[in-house]
Amino acid sequence: MSRLNYHHLYYFWRVAKQGNLTATAQQLAISQSALSAQINQLEHTIGQPLFAREGRSLVLTELGRTVLNYAEDIFQRGEELQQLLTEGAPTLPSLRIGVLSSMSRNFIDGFIQPLIRQNDVHFQLIARPQSELLELLGQHQLDVMLTNRELPSNDDIAWQSQLLARQPVSVIAPPELAHLPAAVDDAYREQRWVVPSYASPLRAAFESFCTQHQLAPNIVAEADDMAMLRLLARDSGALAVMPAVVVRDELVTGLLSKRFDLPNSYENFYAVTLARKFPHPLLPAILQAKHYLP
């Protein structure tokens, strides 16, 4: 293979991150044909394609994803070097955190607390469905992804999943039901409930609990978004099923109360990353901390 042209690699990196040849050409102030030619020369040097065409979209090949991994590290370090030479010290790059759009905002808030308290840190929160987050992470447009869902198997990408916390699934009551006992009995049989939808892994735990206790719940509302479940728990006057961290503030103020935890039922919170030679400098410390635990 001929010596790698880093100018060509830079253009590849920009297109791979943008995902669109036309938009990248406009950002770089060059013609689309010239940009395409630069990438073609890189592919010729490597001897294999880095992109595959799917309609009007450019999709990275397996080799393209590998090359992007190296390019991301190369040019991130290059930007740090430029800042060191011009400003005397490198500025920390923005930490890009993807969050599952349906998970607890209180947990996310706990996770980012150390970042909020640092004046020299900039971070981005990107809320998306899990499939979109994994795509962004695979394209190195995220540094870490927070989710409460199990990851799908993928033979092409080796996700690194770290369990951050486990939260018991609880039965939460409004003030008018705070008298209910701290264990299920006949008083629970005629109550109204708001519960996670079947899209949530928590619903299966609740269904199993109902079967075990021969409980036929009067379900008046369902939601797979924890922020919406929090509102329903506060406003519906019904019992709610969720991890207590979701309504942490309401439990502290007495607006809601926890009656009991469902036995052997938990919501797991994960941090997902990809192996990189130069991970974000803040990432190891924030993943090792336990500040996000209630």
Side-chain angles (χ1 to χ4, degrees):
M1 187 180 78
S2 304
R3 185 177 180 84
L4 191 65
N5 185 312
Y6 284 88
H7 192 64
H8 297 162
L9 183 64
Y10 175 76
Y11 282 146
F12 159 78
W13 176 62
R14 292 292 298 269
V15 172
K17 286 171 65 70
Q18 177 70 34
N20 185 283
L21 194 66
T22 303
T24 306
Q26 292 173 347
Q27 293 174 359
L28 296 172
I30 63 174
S31 69
Q32 181 174 330
S33 59
L35 180 59
S36 181
Q38 298 281 337
I39 293 175
N40 287 339
Q41 290 181 49
L42 177 63
E43 291 179 322
H44 178 74
T45 300
I46 293 174
Q48 297 183 55
L50 301 175
F51 291 105
R53 284 274 185 188
E54 290 187 3
R56 295 185 177 181
S57 301
L58 287 175
V59 179
L60 286 167
T61 63
E62 182 177 354
L63 177 61
R65 288 194 294 268
T66 301
V67 173
L68 175 59
N69 190 2
Y70 280 91
E72 186 77 15
D73 293 333
I74 289 169
F75 293 114
Q76 178 179 311
R77 299 293 283 181
E79 290 174 355
E80 292 176 9
L81 174 60
Q82 184 175 7
Q83 291 170 349
L84 176 64
L85 297 175
T86 57
E87 302 173 16
T91 301
L92 284 174
S94 180
L95 180 63
R96 302 161 300 178
I97 305 170
V99 298
L100 186 66
S101 53
S102 60
M103 70 186 298
S104 168
R105 301 303 190 264
N106 282 340
F107 183 85
I108 297 168
D109 180 66
F111 184 85
I112 64 175
Q113 280 304 308
L115 302 176
I116 293 175
R117 294 193 291 266
Q118 298 186 45
N119 293 329
D120 58 345
V121 168
H122 180 272
F123 63 92
Q124 305 170 52
L125 293 174
I126 300 98
R128 298 285 191 280
Q130 181 146 304
S131 59
E132 294 184 23
L133 290 177
L134 290 174
E135 183 177 352
L136 291 173
L137 187 63
Q139 295 172 354
H140 297 273
Q141 296 185 43
L142 296 175
D143 295 297
V144 63
M145 162 187 158
L146 302 181
T147 181
N148 57 358
R149 303 282 179 88
E150 294 285 346
L151 294 184
S153 59
N154 190 322
D155 295 333
D156 297 328
I157 302 178
W159 309 116
Q160 297 183 330
S161 181
Q162 175 181 335
L163 179 64
L164 297 178
R166 299 182 76 203
Q167 290 293 306
V169 180
S170 305
V171 173
I172 306 296
E176 57 267 36
L177 297 178
H179 64 280
L180 290 174
V184 66
D185 66 5
D186 287 342
Y188 284 87
R189 298 194 182 281
E190 297 181 359
Q191 301 300 328
R192 300 160 65 246
W193 296 78
V194 295
V195 299
S197 72
Y198 283 104
S200 169
L202 306 185
R203 181 60 176 270
F206 178 66
E207 296 284 342
S208 176
F209 171 80
C210 291
T211 299
Q212 179 182 356
H213 292 277
Q214 298 181 334
L215 185 66
N218 177 18
I219 296 174
V220 296
E222 305 175 45
D224 60 1
D225 181 277
M226 287 297 150
M228 183 56 65
L229 272 178
R230 178 185 184 184
L231 293 177
L232 291 171
R234 289 166 46 182
D235 301 336
S236 67
L239 294 172
V241 177
M242 66 186 71
V245 67
V246 177
V247 288
R248 178 188 59 200
D249 298 338
E250 289 81 1
L251 294 176
V252 171
T253 61
L255 183 61
L256 296 170
S257 65
K258 184 176 82 169
R259 308 320 305 142
F260 58 87
D261 295 330
L262 300 187
N264 302 314
S265 300
Y266 301 91
E267 180 176 33
N268 296 327
F269 295 91
Y270 303 95
V272 184
T273 57
L274 278 178
R276 294 180 60 176
K277 293 183 181 298
F278 301 105
H280 193 285
L282 294 174
L283 202 53
I286 196 173
L287 292 180
Q288 292 172 8
K290 300 297 182 184
H291 50 270
Y292 37 77
L293 295 174

